[in-house]
Amino acid sequence: MALPTTESAARATPVVAAPAAPRAGPVSPAPAMIKSDVDAWLDGYMPYALKRGDAAGAVVVVVKDGKVLTQRGFGYADVGSRRPVDPETTLFRQASVSKLITWTAVMQLVEQGKVDLDRDINAYLDFKIPPFAGKPVTMRNLMTHTGGFDEVQRGLNSYDPKKIPSLGDALKRQVPYRIYAPGTTPAYSNYGTSLAGYIVERVSGLPYDDYVERHIFAPAGMTRSSFRQPLPAALRPLLASGYMLGSGKPGPFELSSLAPSGAMTASGADMGRFMIAHLDNGGPLLKPATAAQMHQTILRLVPPLNGMALGFYEQNINGRKALSHAGDSLNFHSQLWIFPEEKVGIYMSMNAAGTQNVSGPIRSYLFEAFADRYFPFEQRDGRIDAATAREHARMMVGTYNKTRRLETSFLKAMELAGQTKVGLDSEGGIRLNTVPDLGGQPRKWVEIAPFVWREARGKMRLAAKVENGRVVRFSVDAASPYIAFEPVPWYLSSAWLTPAMLISLGALLLTAIAWPAAALARRRYGVKAGLAPAALKSYRLTRAFAALAVAVMAGWILFVTKLVGDFSSLSGELDGALVTLQVATPVIFLGLLASAIWNIGHVWTSKRGWFAKFWSIVLLMSAVVLLWIGVGFHLIGFGTRF
């Protein structure tokens, strides 16, 4: 067995041991964690949560000391036929929880000396991942989501098995651009995980599906688990139907081109067996030293928040070390948590997103309430004086981008509606427009250490990294292991660009509407325009381009809405519309700018009134804003990569 030394690992990526939060002691004795108590607690929560959230069904599995403590099905696997959820046999799509299988497979090969965590991954591939900033990508980078990849959407999912290529072909057809140096920035990557799965294929000599069936599922006793798409015939009748709303119609089977990152289907009972294996120091899957390496090697890019283990991410709670992974597709939503020191694990999956995507809050509350019940804890935080806290809050104010983002394609334009804003609340504290509380309201944050905040009466923390008196990065416990937030350059900030765009589109729309309206009014009353021929041409051309600019922006909005709202659209069905928009956008935006400049020259050198002069400036500024957005957010550009 050839494992990388601690010294070589430290050279590649900063690694520290995972410190547990200081324990202040339980506030009261915890009830015994026994089946009858856990069942009663679940019965008091899950049925109401599903009903209130218009969700279909769920499975919850709790393991302890190497055994299943309880496994429960709630609601329906299929609403139409009233088929109940059976924790042993009902299958749920696991989405990104699948990644834990891939990472376990990788660690098996590390254990055998066939994969080195700190070697350039090109040594294992039959195509090239270029270095970035002089650094190659390593397996450790992939396992901690610090490979530096731009987000990939094209061809990621489909409903048609014929459109799912082999794993190697899926990875080679579009190598994502690199936007960060390896090991520096957390940016969750489905592509990166699937690269690791492909390396499992190439190093082991087995197709990925065969490898995990032989070396993960069989040893762990996971007899109702599969990565195969479509499912094997024997498993298909066991699959739960997936819903957006439990009261709605079921959706089709969701297929993933990057299977190692999200294609597993499994029963709740099988996921319990997987947890038991990891809690048993690797059980039949890994040697104890390898399991310890996987669980305890923690990368912290925004201390002191939770960090990223090798595949798992920390979700420490109530002074206890907890490792987790979540997974979300359109219709299935899952999460797994293990407490390695307590030998306890909890898993849940739902087959509906529910009202306002309530599946996320339901599972978050389940985990927190479970920890509060069986691992009660009194949190004792420090406090920062009020004046310093207000100053630090002011330093946080600004507009930020997630590090996991679509940086190089036209989908970057979605940032105009999705950048993260930090402001001040009425008391001078920070106010964040993301990670709302369970009721959907902004959390109230209290600074407990320099540039570390905790939500008032809650558990979530927020921390910022400050360099030379400027906030360069922040994150929250819910995202810190694999996503951070970094300041947006002023010239791409939605804080001013979004209102500027809306005002510009409004002005151009009014201009387009007023043009025929004014012509009709003049015709009705027999009034001539009174403009010189050249001025009249510039007037008409500017109005025509104003109408076209509004139309092309509406076209982009409709196109992106269609694209991201339907898996099948991500495979190339809309390429014709995309190319049309990419050709039309620069022609129209540049035409609008040129005609607006021509128009303003005629208006200001003639005896036109003040409103005409004012409006000519409005039209010119609107043209500049749209061109600025077109260039900055890649609406002006060519190619079908996204």
Side-chain angles (χ1 to χ4, degrees):
M1 178 177 69
L3 296 176
T5 65
T6 302
E7 183 179 8
S8 66
R11 282 198 303 267
T13 307
V15 177
V16 297
R23 297 186 180 185
V27 294
S28 60
M33 192 187 299
I34 57 177
K35 177 176 171 55
S36 59
D37 191 81
V38 175
D39 283 347
W41 174 71
L42 288 172
D43 285 339
Y45 172 60
M46 288 302 300
Y48 173 77
L50 294 180
K51 187 71 174 178
R52 184 69 177 84
D54 193 8
V59 63
V60 179
V61 181
V62 180
V63 301
K64 180 184 179 186
D65 297 328
K67 298 179 181 178
V68 174
L69 184 65
T70 191
Q71 54 185 29
R72 302 288 305 284
F74 300 92
Y76 297 107
D78 185 85
V79 176
S81 65
R82 312 290 282 181
R83 173 163 59 102
V85 172
D86 184 323
E88 191 68 53
T89 62
T90 301
L91 305 185
F92 289 76
R93 296 288 278 162
Q94 299 301 316
S96 286
V97 175
S98 309
K99 291 178 172 66
L100 293 179
I101 304 297
T102 299
W103 300 132
T104 302
V106 166
M107 292 305 294
Q108 289 179 338
L109 298 176
V110 169
E111 184 176 275
Q112 297 166 26
K114 295 178 179 179
V115 170
D116 185 330
L117 290 175
D118 300 303
R119 189 178 184 186
D120 184 342
I121 59 171
N122 286 307
Y124 309 110
L125 296 172
D126 57 350
F127 67 104
K128 188 172 180 61
I129 302 296
F132 188 83
K135 296 182 179 180
V137 178
T138 67
M139 183 62 75
R140 190 184 300 276
N141 298 148
L142 298 183
M143 296 188 79
T144 55
H145 292 288
T146 58
F149 295 109
D150 192 8
E151 184 73 350
V152 172
Q153 290 294 308
R154 185 182 177 90
L156 179 61
N157 300 100
S158 180
Y159 297 125
D160 185 354
K162 296 178 181 178
K163 294 181 179 177
I164 300 298
S166 69
L167 178 57
D169 288 345
L171 292 167
K172 295 170 188 175
R173 70 185 176 186
Q174 183 172 316
V175 177
Y177 292 114
R178 309 285 298 290
I179 57 177
Y180 309 111
T184 64
T185 304
Y188 188 88
S189 175
N190 289 308
Y191 186 92
T193 306
S194 295
L195 266 181
Y198 188 54
I199 289 171
V200 170
E201 269 195 9
R202 290 185 50 76
V203 171
S204 70
L206 292 172
Y208 179 84
D209 292 348
D210 291 347
Y211 182 91
V212 297
E213 287 173 359
R214 296 184 194 182
H215 298 285
I216 306 287
F217 297 155
M222 300 170 67
T223 58
R224 295 187 178 93
S225 298
S226 180
F227 272 83
R228 298 188 185 276
Q229 302 178 109
L231 282 173
L235 296 180
R236 289 175 200 169
L238 305 178
L239 180 66
S241 299
Y243 302 84
M244 292 299 291
L245 297 176
S247 59
K249 295 181 179 180
F253 188 79
E254 304 164 56
L255 302 165
S256 174
S257 296
L258 301 181
S261 69
M264 182 169 68
T265 305
S267 68
D270 272 10
M271 296 308 298
R273 296 177 181 106
F274 181 73
M275 290 192 293
I276 288 171
H278 270 277
L279 289 167
D280 187 25
N281 299 314
L285 302 180
L286 299 168
K287 293 179 180 179
T290 310
Q293 181 185 22
M294 187 176 186
H295 298 163
Q296 297 174 13
T297 305
I298 307 296
L299 172 65
R300 299 184 191 281
L301 292 172
V302 189
L305 301 183
N306 289 330
M308 190 79 203
L310 294 177
F312 287 90
Y313 53 79
E314 282 187 321
Q315 205 164 354
N316 297 338
I317 190 170
N318 288 6
R320 314 280 177 144
K321 178 181 178 64
L323 298 175
S324 180
H325 211 295
D328 294 277
S329 65
L330 287 179
N331 298 327
F332 287 90
H333 308 271
S334 306
Q335 192 153 1
L336 173 156
W337 302 267
I338 58 174
F339 294 85
E341 296 175 10
E342 288 73 22
K343 304 299 183 184
V344 169
I346 181 169
Y347 163 85
M348 81 163 297
S349 186
M350 295 174 58
N351 61 331
T355 306
Q356 297 179 334
N357 293 312
V358 74
S359 58
I362 284 176
R363 71 186 187 215
S364 295
Y365 182 81
L366 177 82
F367 172 62
E368 290 191 6
F370 179 86
D372 286 345
R373 183 171 183 82
Y374 298 110
F375 306 126
F377 181 78
E378 181 182 4
Q379 186 67 50
R380 297 174 185 171
D381 289 326
R383 293 294 291 269
I384 298 298
D385 67 272
T388 302
R390 286 194 294 270
E391 175 59 26
H392 289 175
R394 284 194 292 269
M395 291 173 64
M396 287 288 295
V397 172
T399 305
Y400 297 80
N401 256 343
K402 290 185 295 185
T403 51
R404 181 196 185 185
R405 62 179 185 259
L406 296 148
E407 179 63 26
T408 60
S409 78
F410 62 89
L411 288 175
K412 181 177 175 63
M414 291 194 297
E415 290 178 12
L416 290 167
Q419 291 177 353
T420 296
K421 295 177 177 59
V422 179
L424 299 177
D425 62 22
S426 59
E427 299 175 1
I430 60 175
R431 182 184 178 92
L432 190 63
N433 73 334
T434 189
V435 292
D437 65 17
L438 192 62
Q441 300 301 310
R443 299 176 193 263
K444 180 176 176 59
W445 300 94
V446 177
E447 193 169 11
I448 60 174
F451 296 102
V452 180
W453 291 261
R454 190 186 299 279
E455 63 169 316
R457 300 177 299 280
K459 302 179 186 299
M460 188 178 293
R461 293 174 302 170
L462 181 155
K465 182 178 180 180
V466 179
E467 295 178 354
N468 300 319
R470 292 182 62 251
V471 173
V472 297
R473 176 181 292 173
F474 82 87
S475 192
V476 294
D477 269 329
S480 61
Y482 50 85
I483 295 176
F485 300 84
E486 296 180 339
V488 179
W490 69 268
Y491 52 86
L492 293 177
S493 173
S494 63
W496 72 272
L497 272 175
T498 298
M501 179 186 69
L502 294 175
I503 292 170
S504 297
L505 289 175
L508 294 172
L509 180 61
L510 287 175
T511 300
I513 293 172
W515 179 27
L520 289 172
R522 286 194 301 270
R523 179 177 296 180
R524 177 178 178 85
Y525 295 105
V527 178
K528 293 184 178 181
L531 297 176
L536 185 59
K537 286 181 180 179
S538 69
Y539 172 88
R540 289 173 174 171
L541 197 60
T542 304
R543 272 65 187 168
F545 274 114
L548 290 171
V550 172
V552 80
M553 287 299 290
W556 275 113
I557 293 170
L558 292 172
F559 173 79
V560 172
T561 301
K562 170 65 176 175
L563 189 71
V564 301
D566 184 354
F567 275 168
S568 62
S569 299
L570 295 171
S571 298
E573 284 82 354
L574 299 178
D575 279 0
L578 174 58
V579 171
T580 299
L581 285 168
Q582 288 177 331
V583 170
T585 300
V587 172
I588 292 171
F589 283 6
L590 289 170
L592 177 63
L593 179 64
S595 63
I597 292 172
W598 190 23
N599 179 66
I600 202 171
H602 285 291
V603 170
W604 281 79
T605 56
S606 66
K607 296 181 179 179
R608 304 284 294 278
W610 68 268
F611 183 79
K613 293 180 179 179
F614 165 74
W615 202 251
S616 68
I617 296 173
V618 169
L619 292 178
L620 178 60
M621 295 305 298
S622 298
V624 170
V625 167
L626 292 191
L627 188 60
W628 190 288
I629 289 171
V631 173
F633 293 90
H634 310 307
L635 299 181
I636 294 178
F638 297 97
T640 55
R641 291 177 59 117
F642 56 86

